[in-house]
Amino acid sequence: MDLRFGDSKPTDEERAAVDALLGPPESSWEGADRSDADLRWARGGRAARDRRDLLLPGLHALNDRVGWISEGGLDYLCRRLTVPPSEAYGVATFYAMFSVRPRPATVLHVCTDLACAAAGAPRLCEAAEARLGPESGVTVERSPCLGLCERAPAALVVRAGEDAAGATAGGGVTRAAAVS
């Protein structure tokens, strides 16, 4: 038995994010128009399994465009890649940079691992939350290591949306820096 999302449908933005990575769906099995579909057969097999390595880039595409990964978006990506939803959900919930719950488009990830914690990351989180406040549209999230231990504490700003993804090479990642 596999995880099912019921009637969750992807938004146009989610479809666009996945289709930008994978190209347009070629069959109704992958999510194309079903008006003239012959659902007695589907493409797949080895060719579909060979695209499973695109799961992580697909999750990044959804998260970077929309800011989080909805059930409908995840289901659409799974259908396009022929990946079981439970497997994709496990990957999406494992990585701290992804969210499967709605959140603001701008997220400040503050590393709270050992080196950053020793260098004042908890105080940095408190100060950022106090300064930004809930009305700012920015959420502060405590994060595992960002890879800047020698320059701790480290923070990373991620801004979701088509404009943010197109403006930076990192697909919405605007800055990773040590904070003094």
Side-chain angles (χ1 to χ4, degrees), residues 82-96:
T82 63
V83 171
S86 60
E87 184 177 327
Y89 183 81
V91 174
T93 56
F94 176 79
Y95 289 100

Side-chain angles (χ1 to χ4, degrees), residues 15 22 27 101-102:
R15 283 182 187 273
L22 304 176
S27 70
R101 289 182 174 69

Side-chain angles (χ1 to χ4, degrees), residues 15-92:
R15 283 182 187 273
V18 172
D19 292 348
L21 176 70
L22 304 176
E26 296 179 8
S27 70
S28 59
W29 183 261
E30 288 186 338
D33 179 29
R34 293 177 180 237
S35 60
D36 62 346
D38 181 1
L39 297 177
R40 293 175 291 176
W41 67 279
R43 294 184 196 140
R46 184 176 307 277
R49 285 189 302 274
D50 287 345
R51 292 176 18 145
R52 292 173 68 93
D53 63 319
L54 294 173
L55 176 60
L56 199 53
L59 293 171
H60 274 290
L62 285 169
N63 199 73
D64 291 349
R65 178 75 69 95
V66 182
W68 66 290
I69 301 166
S70 74
E71 291 177 352
L74 187 63
D75 187 53
Y76 183 68
L77 178 62
C78 290
R79 192 167 1 126
R80 293 292 317 275
L81 294 176
T82 63
V83 171
S86 60
E87 184 177 327
Y89 183 81
V91 174

